[in-house]
Coordinates of all heavy atoms in Angstrom, one line a residue:
M71 N 26.8 -8.4 5.4 CA 26.0 -7.4 6.0 C 24.5 -7.6 5.8 O 23.9 -7.6 6.8 CB 26.4 -6.0 5.3 CG 25.5 -4.9 5.8 SD 26.1 -4.3 7.4 CE 25.3 -2.8 7.6
A72 N 24.1 -8.0 4.6 CA 22.7 -8.4 4.6 C 22.3 -9.6 5.3 O 21.3 -9.6 5.9 CB 22.5 -8.8 2.9
E73 N 23.2 -10.6 5.5 CA 23.0 -11.8 6.3 C 22.9 -11.3 7.7 O 21.9 -11.9 8.4 CB 24.1 -12.8 6.1 CG 23.7 -14.2 6.4 CD 22.5 -14.8 5.6 OE1 22.4 -14.6 4.4 OE2 21.7 -15.5 6.2
M74 N 23.6 -10.4 8.2 CA 23.4 -10.0 9.5 C 22.1 -9.3 9.8 O 21.5 -9.4 10.8 CB 24.6 -9.1 10.0 CG 24.6 -8.7 11.3 SD 24.6 -10.2 12.5 CE 26.2 -10.0 13.2
M75 N 21.7 -8.5 8.9 CA 20.4 -7.7 8.9 C 19.3 -8.8 8.9 O 18.3 -8.5 9.7 CB 20.3 -6.8 7.7 CG 21.2 -5.7 7.8 SD 21.0 -4.6 6.4 CE 19.3 -4.1 6.3
K76 N 19.4 -9.8 8.2 CA 18.3 -10.9 8.1 C 18.3 -11.7 9.5 O 17.2 -11.7 9.9 CB 18.6 -11.9 7.0 CG 17.7 -13.0 7.0 CD 17.9 -14.1 5.9 CE 17.0 -15.3 6.0 NZ 17.3 -16.2 5.1
L77 N 19.4 -12.0 10.0 CA 19.5 -12.6 11.3 C 18.9 -11.7 12.5 O 18.1 -12.2 13.2 CB 20.8 -13.0 11.7 CG 21.2 -13.6 13.0 CD1 20.2 -15.1 13.1 CD2 22.6 -13.9 13.3
E78 N 19.2 -10.4 12.4 CA 18.7 -9.6 13.4 C 17.2 -9.4 13.2 O 16.4 -9.4 14.2 CB 19.3 -8.2 13.2 CG 19.0 -7.1 14.3 CD 19.8 -5.8 14.2 OE1 20.9 -5.9 13.6 OE2 19.3 -4.9 14.7
R79 N 16.7 -9.3 12.0 CA 15.3 -9.3 11.8 C 14.5 -10.5 12.4 O 13.5 -10.4 12.9 CB 15.0 -9.0 10.3 CG 13.4 -9.0 10.0 CD 13.3 -8.8 8.4 NE 13.5 -10.0 7.8 CZ 14.5 -10.2 6.7 NH1 15.1 -9.2 6.3 NH2 14.6 -11.3 6.2
L80 N 15.2 -11.7 12.0 CA 14.5 -12.9 12.5 C 14.4 -13.1 14.0 O 13.5 -13.4 14.6 CB 15.2 -14.1 11.9 CG 15.0 -14.3 10.3 CD1 16.1 -15.5 10.0 CD2 13.7 -14.7 10.1
L81 N 15.5 -12.6 14.7 CA 15.6 -12.5 16.2 C 14.6 -11.6 16.8 O 14.0 -11.9 17.7 CB 17.0 -12.2 16.6 CG 18.2 -13.4 16.4 CD1 19.4 -12.9 16.7 CD2 17.7 -14.6 17.2
D82 N 14.5 -10.4 16.1 CA 13.6 -9.5 16.5 C 12.1 -9.9 16.4 O 11.2 -9.7 17.3 CB 13.7 -8.1 15.7 CG 14.9 -7.3 16.1 OD1 15.4 -7.6 17.2 OD2 15.3 -6.4 15.3
L83 N 11.9 -10.6 15.3 CA 10.5 -11.3 15.0 C 10.2 -12.3 16.1 O 9.1 -12.3 16.7 CB 10.4 -11.8 13.7 CG 9.2 -12.4 13.2 CD1 8.0 -11.6 13.4 CD2 9.3 -13.1 11.7
V84 N 11.1 -13.2 16.4 CA 10.9 -14.3 17.4 C 10.7 -13.6 18.9 O 9.7 -14.0 19.5 CB 12.1 -15.2 17.4 CG1 11.9 -16.1 18.6 CG2 12.2 -16.0 16.1
A85 N 11.5 -12.7 19.2 CA 11.3 -11.9 20.4 C 9.9 -11.4 20.5 O 9.2 -11.5 21.5 CB 12.4 -10.9 20.6
L86 N 9.5 -10.6 19.5 CA 8.2 -10.0 19.5 C 7.0 -11.0 19.6 O 6.1 -10.8 20.4 CB 8.0 -9.1 18.2 CG 6.6 -8.4 17.9 CD1 6.4 -7.5 19.0 CD2 6.5 -7.9 16.6
L87 N 7.2 -12.1 18.8 CA 6.0 -13.1 18.8 C 6.0 -13.9 20.1 O 5.0 -14.4 20.6 CB 6.1 -14.1 17.7 CG 5.9 -13.3 16.3 CD1 6.3 -14.5 15.1 CD2 4.6 -12.8 16.1
L88 N 7.2 -14.0 20.8 CA 7.1 -14.7 22.1 C 6.6 -13.7 23.1 O 6.0 -14.2 24.2 CB 8.6 -15.2 22.5 CG 9.2 -16.3 21.9 CD1 10.6 -16.5 22.1 CD2 8.4 -17.6 22.3
E89 N 6.9 -12.5 23.1 CA 6.5 -11.5 24.1 C 5.0 -11.1 24.0 O 4.3 -10.6 25.1 CB 7.3 -10.2 24.1 CG 8.7 -10.4 24.3 CD 9.5 -9.2 24.2 OE1 9.0 -8.2 23.6 OE2 10.8 -9.1 24.5
T90 N 4.3 -11.1 22.9 CA 3.0 -10.7 22.8 C 2.0 -11.5 23.5 O 2.1 -12.8 23.5 CB 2.5 -10.4 21.3 OG1 1.3 -9.8 21.3 CG2 2.4 -11.9 20.6
D91 N 0.9 -10.8 24.1 CA -0.2 -11.7 24.8 C -1.3 -12.0 23.7 O -2.1 -12.9 24.0 CB -0.8 -10.8 25.9 CG 0.3 -10.6 27.1 OD1 1.1 -11.5 27.4 OD2 0.1 -9.5 27.7
Q92 N -1.4 -11.2 22.8 CA -2.4 -11.4 21.8 C -1.7 -11.6 20.3 O -0.6 -11.1 20.2 CB -3.3 -10.1 21.6 CG -4.1 -9.8 22.9 CD -5.1 -8.7 22.4 OE1 -5.9 -8.9 21.7 NE2 -4.9 -7.5 23.1
P93 N -2.4 -12.2 19.5 CA -1.9 -12.4 18.1 C -1.7 -11.0 17.5 O -2.5 -10.1 17.7 CB -2.9 -13.2 17.4 CG -3.7 -13.9 18.5 CD -3.6 -13.0 19.6
L94 N -0.7 -11.0 16.7 CA -0.5 -9.6 15.9 C -0.4 -9.8 14.5 O -0.1 -10.8 14.0 CB 1.0 -9.1 16.3 CG 1.4 -8.8 17.8 CD1 2.8 -8.5 17.9 CD2 0.6 -7.6 18.2
S95 N -1.2 -8.7 13.9 CA -1.3 -8.9 12.4 C 0.0 -8.6 11.7 O 0.9 -8.2 12.4 CB -2.3 -7.9 11.9 OG -1.8 -6.5 12.1
R96 N 0.1 -9.0 10.5 CA 1.3 -8.7 9.7 C 1.7 -7.2 9.9 O 3.0 -6.9 10.0 CB 1.2 -9.0 8.2 CG 1.4 -10.3 7.9 CD 1.4 -10.5 6.4 NE 0.1 -10.1 5.6 CZ 0.2 -9.2 4.7 NH1 1.3 -8.8 4.1 NH2 -1.0 -8.8 4.2
H97 N 0.9 -6.4 9.7 CA 1.0 -4.9 9.8 C 1.4 -4.4 11.2 O 2.4 -3.6 11.3 CB -0.1 -4.1 9.2 CG -0.4 -4.4 7.8 ND1 0.6 -3.9 6.8 CD2 -1.2 -5.0 7.1 CE1 0.2 -4.4 5.6 NE2 -1.0 -5.1 5.9
E98 N 0.8 -5.0 12.2 CA 1.3 -4.7 13.5 C 2.8 -5.1 13.9 O 3.5 -4.4 14.4 CB 0.3 -5.3 14.6 CG -1.1 -4.8 14.6 CD -2.0 -5.5 15.4 OE1 -2.0 -6.8 15.4 OE2 -2.8 -4.9 16.0
I99 N 2.9 -6.2 13.3 CA 4.4 -6.8 13.4 C 5.4 -5.9 12.8 O 6.4 -5.5 13.4 CB 4.5 -8.2 12.8 CG1 3.7 -9.3 13.7 CG2 6.1 -8.5 12.6 CD1 3.7 -10.6 13.1
R100 N 5.0 -5.3 11.6 CA 6.0 -4.5 10.8 C 6.1 -3.2 11.7 O 7.2 -2.6 11.8 CB 5.4 -4.2 9.4 CG 6.3 -3.2 8.7 CD 6.1 -3.1 7.2 NE 4.7 -2.7 6.9 CZ 4.4 -2.5 5.7 NH1 5.1 -2.7 4.7 NH2 3.1 -2.3 5.5
N101 N 5.1 -2.7 12.3 CA 5.2 -1.4 13.1 C 5.9 -1.6 14.4 O 6.3 -0.6 14.8 CB 3.8 -1.0 13.3 CG 3.0 -0.5 12.0 OD1 3.7 -0.1 11.1 ND2 1.8 -0.4 11.9
H102 N 5.9 -2.9 14.9 CA 6.6 -3.0 16.2 C 8.0 -3.4 16.0 O 8.9 -3.2 17.0 CB 6.0 -4.3 17.0 CG 4.7 -3.8 17.7 ND1 3.5 -3.8 17.0 CD2 4.5 -3.5 18.9 CE1 2.5 -3.5 18.0 NE2 3.2 -3.1 19.1
L103 N 8.6 -3.8 14.9 CA 10.0 -4.1 14.7 C 10.7 -2.7 14.3 O 10.0 -1.8 13.9 CB 10.1 -5.1 13.5 CG 9.6 -6.5 13.9 CD1 9.7 -7.5 12.8 CD2 10.2 -7.0 15.2
P104 N 12.0 -2.8 14.5 CA 12.8 -1.5 14.1 C 12.7 -1.1 12.7 O 12.4 -2.0 11.9 CB 14.2 -2.0 14.3 CG 14.2 -3.2 15.3 CD 12.8 -3.8 15.0
P105 N 12.7 0.2 12.5 CA 12.6 0.8 11.2 C 13.6 0.1 10.3 O 14.6 -0.2 10.6 CB 12.9 2.3 11.3 CG 12.6 2.5 12.8 CD 12.9 1.3 13.6
G106 N 13.2 -0.3 9.1 CA 14.1 -0.9 8.1 C 14.1 -2.4 8.2 O 14.8 -3.0 7.3
A107 N 13.5 -3.0 9.2 CA 13.4 -4.5 9.3 C 12.9 -5.0 8.1 O 13.3 -6.0 7.5 CB 12.8 -4.9 10.6
Y108 N 11.7 -4.5 7.7 CA 10.9 -4.9 6.5 C 10.8 -3.7 5.5 O 10.7 -2.6 6.0 CB 9.6 -5.5 6.9 CG 9.7 -6.8 7.4 CD1 9.4 -7.1 8.9 CD2 9.9 -8.0 6.7 CE1 9.6 -8.3 9.5 CE2 10.0 -9.2 7.3 CZ 9.8 -9.3 8.7 OH 9.9 -10.7 9.2
A109 N 10.6 -4.0 4.2 CA 10.5 -2.9 3.3 C 9.1 -2.2 3.5 O 8.1 -2.7 4.0 CB 10.3 -3.6 1.9
E110 N 9.0 -1.0 3.1 CA 7.7 -0.2 3.2 C 6.8 -0.7 2.3 O 5.5 -0.6 2.6 CB 8.2 1.3 3.0 CG 8.9 1.9 4.2 CD 8.3 1.9 5.4 OE1 7.1 2.2 5.6 OE2 8.9 1.5 6.5
E111 N 7.2 -1.0 1.1 CA 6.3 -1.5 0.1 C 5.5 -2.8 0.5 O 6.3 -3.6 0.9 CB 7.0 -1.6 -1.2 CG 6.2 -1.8 -2.5 CD 5.8 -3.1 -2.8 OE1 6.6 -4.1 -2.6 OE2 4.6 -3.4 -3.1
D112 N 4.2 -2.8 0.4 CA 3.5 -3.9 1.0 C 3.7 -5.3 0.4 O 3.9 -6.3 1.1 CB 1.9 -3.8 0.9 CG 1.4 -2.8 2.0 OD1 2.1 -2.8 3.0 OD2 0.3 -2.2 1.8
E113 N 4.0 -5.4 -0.8 CA 4.1 -6.7 -1.5 C 5.6 -7.2 -1.2 O 5.6 -8.4 -0.9 CB 3.9 -6.6 -3.0 CG 4.0 -7.9 -3.8 CD 3.0 -9.0 -3.3 OE1 2.1 -8.6 -2.8 OE2 3.3 -10.2 -3.5
S114 N 6.5 -6.4 -1.3 CA 7.8 -6.8 -0.9 C 7.9 -7.2 0.6 O 8.5 -8.3 0.9 CB 8.8 -5.7 -1.1 OG 10.0 -6.0 -0.7
F115 N 7.2 -6.5 1.5 CA 7.1 -6.9 2.9 C 6.4 -8.2 3.1 O 6.8 -9.1 3.8 CB 6.4 -5.8 3.8 CG 5.8 -6.2 4.9 CD1 6.6 -6.7 6.0 CD2 4.4 -6.3 5.2 CE1 6.1 -7.2 7.2 CE2 3.8 -6.7 6.3 CZ 4.7 -7.1 7.4
R116 N 5.3 -8.4 2.4 CA 4.6 -9.6 2.6 C 5.4 -10.9 2.1 O 5.5 -11.9 2.8 CB 3.4 -9.6 1.6 CG 2.4 -10.9 1.9 CD 1.3 -11.0 0.7 NE 1.9 -11.1 -0.5 CZ 2.5 -12.3 -1.0 NH1 2.5 -13.3 -0.1 NH2 2.8 -12.6 -2.1
R117 N 6.1 -10.8 1.0 CA 7.0 -11.8 0.5 C 8.1 -12.1 1.6 O 8.4 -13.2 1.9 CB 7.6 -11.5 -0.8 CG 6.5 -11.5 -2.0 CD 7.3 -11.6 -3.4 NE 8.3 -10.5 -3.5 CZ 8.0 -9.4 -4.0 NH1 6.9 -9.0 -4.4 NH2 9.0 -8.4 -4.1
T118 N 8.7 -11.1 2.0 CA 9.8 -11.3 3.0 C 9.3 -11.9 4.4 O 9.8 -12.8 4.9 CB 10.5 -10.0 3.3 OG1 11.1 -9.5 2.0 CG2 11.6 -10.2 4.3
F119 N 8.2 -11.4 4.7 CA 7.5 -11.9 5.9 C 7.2 -13.4 5.8 O 7.5 -14.3 6.8 CB 6.3 -11.1 6.4 CG 5.7 -11.5 7.8 CD1 6.3 -11.5 8.8 CD2 4.4 -12.0 7.5 CE1 5.6 -11.9 10.0 CE2 3.7 -12.5 8.7 CZ 4.4 -12.3 9.9
E120 N 6.7 -13.7 4.7 CA 6.3 -15.1 4.4 C 7.5 -16.1 4.5 O 7.5 -17.1 5.1 CB 5.5 -15.3 3.2 CG 4.1 -14.8 3.0 CD 3.3 -15.4 4.2 OE1 3.2 -16.5 4.3 OE2 2.4 -14.5 4.7
R121 N 8.5 -15.6 3.9 CA 9.9 -16.3 3.9 C 10.4 -16.5 5.3 O 10.8 -17.5 5.6 CB 10.9 -15.8 2.9 CG 10.7 -16.0 1.5 CD 12.0 -15.6 0.7 NE 12.4 -14.2 0.9 CZ 11.9 -13.1 0.0 NH1 11.2 -13.4 -1.0 NH2 12.4 -11.9 0.4
D122 N 10.3 -15.5 6.1 CA 10.7 -15.5 7.4 C 10.0 -16.4 8.2 O 10.5 -17.2 9.0 CB 10.6 -14.1 8.0 CG 11.8 -13.1 7.5 OD1 12.6 -13.5 6.7 OD2 11.7 -11.9 7.8
K123 N 8.7 -16.4 8.1 CA 7.9 -17.3 8.9 C 8.2 -18.9 8.5 O 8.4 -19.6 9.4 CB 6.4 -17.2 8.7 CG 5.9 -16.0 9.3 CD 4.3 -15.9 9.2 CE 3.9 -16.1 7.7 NZ 2.5 -16.3 7.4
D124 N 8.3 -19.0 7.3 CA 8.7 -20.4 6.8 C 10.0 -20.9 7.3 O 10.2 -22.0 7.7 CB 8.7 -20.5 5.2 CG 7.4 -20.4 4.6 OD1 6.3 -20.6 5.3 OD2 7.3 -20.1 3.4
E125 N 11.0 -20.0 7.3 CA 12.4 -20.3 7.8 C 12.3 -20.7 9.2 O 12.9 -21.6 9.7 CB 13.2 -19.2 7.4 CG 14.6 -19.5 7.7 CD 15.8 -18.5 7.2 OE1 15.4 -17.8 6.2 OE2 16.8 -18.5 7.8
L126 N 11.5 -19.8 10.1 CA 11.5 -20.0 11.4 C 10.7 -21.3 11.9 O 11.1 -22.1 12.7 CB 10.8 -18.8 12.3 CG 11.7 -17.5 12.2 CD1 10.9 -16.3 12.6 CD2 12.9 -17.7 12.9
R127 N 9.6 -21.6 11.1 CA 9.0 -22.8 11.2 C 9.9 -24.1 11.0 O 9.8 -25.1 11.6 CB 7.6 -22.9 10.4 CG 6.5 -22.0 11.0 CD 5.5 -21.9 10.2 NE 4.3 -21.1 10.8 CZ 3.3 -20.4 10.2 NH1 3.4 -20.3 8.8 NH2 2.3 -19.8 10.8
D128 N 10.7 -23.8 9.8 CA 11.6 -25.0 9.6 C 12.5 -25.3 10.7 O 13.1 -26.4 10.8 CB 12.2 -24.6 8.2 CG 11.4 -24.9 6.9 OD1 10.2 -25.3 7.1 OD2 11.9 -24.3 5.9
L129 N 12.9 -24.2 11.4 CA 13.7 -24.4 12.6 C 13.1 -25.0 13.7 O 13.7 -25.0 14.8 CB 14.5 -23.1 12.8 CG 15.4 -22.5 11.8 CD1 15.8 -21.1 12.1 CD2 16.6 -23.5 11.7
G130 N 11.7 -25.2 13.8 CA 11.0 -25.8 14.8 C 10.2 -24.9 15.6 O 9.6 -25.2 16.6
L131 N 10.2 -23.5 15.2 CA 9.5 -22.6 16.1 C 8.1 -22.6 15.6 O 7.7 -22.4 14.6 CB 10.1 -21.1 15.9 CG 11.4 -21.0 16.5 CD1 12.0 -19.7 15.8 CD2 11.4 -20.8 18.0
P132 N 7.2 -22.8 16.7 CA 5.7 -22.9 16.4 C 4.9 -21.7 16.2 O 4.1 -21.3 17.0 CB 5.1 -23.8 17.6 CG 6.1 -23.3 18.7 CD 7.4 -23.0 18.1
I133 N 5.1 -21.0 15.1 CA 4.4 -19.8 14.7 C 3.0 -20.1 14.4 O 2.8 -20.9 13.5 CB 5.1 -19.0 13.7 CG1 6.4 -18.5 14.0 CG2 4.2 -17.8 13.3 CD1 7.3 -17.8 13.1
V134 N 2.0 -19.6 15.1 CA 0.7 -19.9 14.8 C -0.2 -18.6 14.4 O 0.2 -17.5 14.7 CB -0.1 -20.6 16.1 CG1 0.6 -21.8 16.5 CG2 -0.2 -19.6 17.2
L135 N -1.2 -19.1 13.6 CA -2.1 -18.0 13.1 C -3.5 -18.1 13.9 O -4.0 -19.3 13.9 CB -2.3 -18.2 11.6 CG -3.3 -17.0 11.0 CD1 -2.7 -15.7 11.1 CD2 -3.5 -17.4 9.5
E136 N -3.8 -17.1 14.6 CA -5.0 -17.2 15.4 C -6.0 -16.0 15.2 O -5.5 -14.9 14.8 CB -4.5 -17.3 16.9 CG -3.7 -18.3 17.4 CD -3.4 -18.1 18.8 OE1 -3.2 -16.9 19.2 OE2 -3.1 -19.1 19.3
A137 N -7.2 -16.2 15.6 CA -8.0 -15.0 15.5 C -7.7 -13.9 16.7 O -7.4 -14.6 17.8 CB -9.5 -15.5 15.7
V138 N -7.9 -12.8 16.4 CA -7.6 -11.7 17.5 C -8.8 -11.8 18.4 O -9.9 -11.6 17.9 CB -7.3 -10.4 16.8 CG1 -7.2 -9.3 18.0 CG2 -6.0 -10.5 15.8
P139 N -8.6 -11.9 19.7 CA -9.7 -11.8 20.7 C -10.5 -10.6 20.4 O -10.1 -9.5 20.3 CB -9.1 -11.8 22.0 CG -7.8 -12.5 21.8 CD -7.3 -12.1 20.3
G140 N -11.9 -10.7 20.4 CA -12.8 -9.6 20.3 C -13.1 -9.2 18.8 O -13.7 -8.2 18.7
S141 N -12.4 -10.0 17.8 CA -12.7 -9.5 16.5 C -13.6 -10.5 15.8 O -13.7 -10.4 14.6 CB -11.4 -9.6 15.8 OG -10.9 -10.9 15.6
D142 N -14.4 -11.3 16.5 CA -15.3 -12.3 15.9 C -14.7 -13.2 14.8 O -15.3 -13.5 13.9 CB -16.7 -11.7 15.5 CG -16.5 -10.8 14.2 OD1 -15.4 -10.7 13.6 OD2 -17.6 -10.3 13.6
G143 N -13.4 -13.4 14.9 CA -12.7 -14.2 14.0 C -12.4 -13.6 12.7 O -11.6 -14.2 11.8
S144 N -12.7 -12.3 12.5 CA -12.5 -11.7 11.2 C -11.1 -11.2 11.1 O -10.5 -11.0 9.9 CB -13.5 -10.5 11.0 OG -13.4 -9.6 11.9
R145 N -10.3 -11.0 12.2 CA -9.1 -10.5 12.2 C -8.2 -11.6 12.7 O -8.4 -12.2 13.8 CB -8.9 -9.2 13.0 CG -8.1 -8.2 12.5 CD -8.2 -6.9 13.3 NE -6.7 -6.7 13.6 CZ -6.4 -6.4 14.9 NH1 -7.3 -6.2 15.9 NH2 -5.1 -6.3 15.2
T146 N -7.0 -11.9 12.0 CA -6.1 -12.8 12.5 C -4.6 -12.3 12.7 O -4.4 -11.3 12.2 CB -6.0 -14.1 11.4 OG1 -5.6 -13.6 10.2 CG2 -7.2 -14.7 11.3
G147 N -4.0 -13.0 13.5 CA -2.5 -12.5 13.8 C -1.7 -13.7 14.2 O -2.1 -14.8 14.3
Y148 N -0.5 -13.4 14.4 CA 0.7 -14.5 14.6 C 1.1 -14.2 16.0 O 1.2 -13.1 16.6 CB 1.7 -14.2 13.6 CG 1.3 -14.3 12.2 CD1 1.0 -13.3 11.5 CD2 1.3 -15.5 11.7 CE1 0.4 -13.5 10.3 CE2 0.9 -15.7 10.2 CZ 0.5 -14.7 9.6 OH 0.2 -14.8 8.2
R149 N 1.6 -15.4 16.6 CA 2.4 -15.4 17.9 C 2.9 -16.8 18.1 O 2.7 -17.7 17.4 CB 1.5 -15.0 19.1 CG 0.4 -15.9 19.4 CD -0.3 -15.3 20.6 NE -1.2 -16.2 21.1 CZ -1.6 -16.2 22.4 NH1 -1.4 -15.1 23.2 NH2 -2.4 -17.1 23.0
I150 N 3.8 -16.9 19.0 CA 4.4 -18.0 19.3 C 4.0 -18.4 20.9 O 4.2 -17.6 21.8 CB 6.0 -18.1 19.2 CG1 6.4 -17.8 18.0 CG2 6.6 -19.4 19.9 CD1 7.9 -17.5 17.7
H151 N 3.5 -19.5 21.1 CA 3.0 -19.8 22.5 C 4.1 -20.1 23.3 O 5.0 -20.8 23.0 CB 1.9 -21.1 22.4 CG 0.6 -20.5 21.9 ND1 -0.3 -20.0 22.7 CD2 0.2 -20.7 20.7 CE1 -1.4 -19.8 21.8 NE2 -1.1 -20.1 20.7

């Protein structure tokens, strides 16, 4: 069951990052994914999100970190080109 939830979360994350026109911050990503995909507690969410990104990159998905347009580089987000 937990493994299926992880797979679903990873697939949802990939779909979101492929569909977005602009980079999304970690918190925007959490807000766009289904409830329960990530923990509500920030530190737990951050750790899980970092593991997910690493796993997807290890699979060859080019998740990039970019400045959000119009933020003068102070805000960054993630996406897959």
Side-chain angles (χ1 to χ4, degrees):
M71 178 77 165
E73 200 58 37
M74 184 57 109
M75 290 175 55
K76 177 182 175 182
L77 178 58
E78 189 173 335
R79 183 181 68 238
L80 291 173
L81 290 172
D82 287 342
L83 178 58
V84 169
L86 177 64
L87 294 177
L88 283 170
E89 291 175 353
T90 187
D91 293 331
Q92 296 190 67
L94 298 172
S95 71
R96 279 187 304 127
H97 296 291
E98 289 171 323
I99 289 169
R100 181 169 55 180
N101 291 336
H102 279 84
L103 292 180
Y108 285 105
E110 291 296 319
E111 195 272 316
D112 277 337
E113 185 57 27
S114 179
F115 159 63
R116 186 193 64 75
R117 285 192 314 267
T118 304
F119 180 65
E120 292 299 321
R121 281 194 304 268
D122 287 353
K123 284 189 312 176
D124 290 343
E125 188 166 335
L126 293 172
R127 285 175 174 149
D128 288 346
L129 292 171
L131 291 161
I133 299 173
V134 295
L135 180 63
E136 302 176 327
V138 173
S141 69
D142 71 1
S144 62
R145 227 177 112 223
T146 57
Y148 299 91
R149 69 182 190 161
I150 299 173
H151 290 275

